[in-house]
Amino acid sequence: MPQQPAPSALVSAFAPGGALRASINLGNPVLAHRDRVSGEPAGVSVDLALAFGQRLGVPVELVAFERAALSVDAVRAGRADIGFFAADPARSEGLRFTAPYVLIEGGYLVREASPVTGNGEVDREGTRISVGAGSAYDLFLTREIRRAEVVRLEGAPRALAALRTGQVDVAAGIRQLLEAEAARAEGVRVLPGRFMVIRQAMGLPAGRGAAALELLASFVEEMKADGFVADALERHGVEGAIVAPAG
């Protein structure tokens, strides 16, 4: 059944400049990456941005960032019209989120020689946990960790490097990224299970209004229900992430 075009007032709410500016976080390889041939952003979030722009009937401008915190700030400040982030209470100021479209596991990476064998052993006195500053797992661990120390670094690569060089005892991150790091070279291992589920949602500046949020939320539910998100995950070779249930 053909989709009805969005009312012109809502089109203007999303794309006041005539184009839909989509903030893309390249720091989350589950959702976005640079195409090896063109160098342009690609991935599940890019596919969703293009589909939403088509729904609105406007061109899409991709605004790419290497870290989640920068991507969030761009939308909050109105330098982008939509974004793709982990929904977290700490990010609620100035932003509104849809229900999640994808669920991703957060995990821990340790050195092979570490005595730690499970997630429940990480929060101990003297343990240092590296995280990408402003990431979903940084926000979560900031609330949940009671005894260990959270060490915030600029981006996942630095957080992983800090573990290999012995600056920290544990690195936290997206499970797929940690598994790739463990496969890249010997000396580290991923702890079994997960310490959190990252709820990846679409978001927009809070000032765009309730009707705009309703339209975006309906779009996300439709993309989950008709298989668009599942097809995008498969098309981009994403493993370990699942389509979120209906919101």
Side-chain angles (χ1 to χ4, degrees):
M1 183 177 184
Q3 296 296 324
Q4 296 298 317
S8 58
L10 285 181
V11 174
S12 297
F14 277 104
L20 180 70
R21 299 168 298 170
S23 181
I24 305 297
N25 171 27
L26 297 173
N28 184 338
V30 173
L31 301 182
H33 58 276
R34 289 201 181 275
D35 183 85
R36 293 182 179 179
V37 177
S38 68
E40 294 298 315
V44 178
S45 57
V46 173
D47 291 352
L48 284 168
L50 296 176
F52 190 59
Q54 185 176 27
R55 177 68 53 83
L56 296 176
V58 298
V60 176
E61 295 178 2
L62 302 177
V63 188
F65 298 92
E66 301 297 328
R67 295 192 288 120
L70 298 177
S71 181
V72 170
D73 287 345
V75 179
R76 181 179 284 130
R79 297 191 302 273
D81 304 304
I82 61 170
F84 302 82
F85 344 102
D88 187 278
R91 290 176 173 165
S92 61
E93 183 178 353
L95 295 175
R96 296 294 180 268
F97 296 99
T98 68
Y101 59 93
V102 163
L103 303 179
I104 304 170
E105 293 185 345
Y108 290 129
L109 189 72
V110 298
R111 288 185 293 278
E112 285 284 5
S114 172
V116 176
T117 59
N119 295 325
E121 302 171 25
V122 170
D123 190 11
R124 293 180 174 177
E125 296 288 346
T127 298
R128 289 166 57 85
I129 309 167
S130 62
V131 299
S135 63
Y137 36 94
D138 174 14
L139 301 178
F140 179 86
L141 293 176
T142 296
R143 290 192 299 270
E144 299 298 323
I145 290 296
R146 295 292 180 265
R147 291 173 287 277
E149 177 186 358
V150 178
V151 180
R152 298 168 184 84
L153 300 169
E154 280 197 20
R158 291 190 179 183
L160 298 177
L163 175 67
R164 287 195 177 276
T165 57
Q167 299 174 58
V168 298
D169 309 288
V170 180
I174 296 167
R175 187 169 187 82
Q176 290 87 340
L177 194 63
L178 302 184
E179 290 173 343
E181 177 72 5
R184 184 179 66 82
E186 297 179 352
V188 293
R189 56 185 168 85
V190 182
L191 295 183
R194 67 195 186 199
F195 70 84
M196 72 173 296
V197 174
I198 302 170
R199 302 169 64 253
Q200 293 290 341
M202 291 183 70
L204 74 166
R208 300 299 171 89
L213 176 59
E214 183 178 351
L215 178 64
L216 189 62
S218 297
F219 169 78
V220 167
E221 293 307 310
E222 178 189 326
M223 293 296 100
K224 291 187 292 186
D226 71 4
F228 183 98
V229 176
D231 290 345
L233 290 171
E234 182 177 359
R235 182 167 57 252
H236 294 289
V238 175
E239 298 180 356
I242 62 171
V243 179

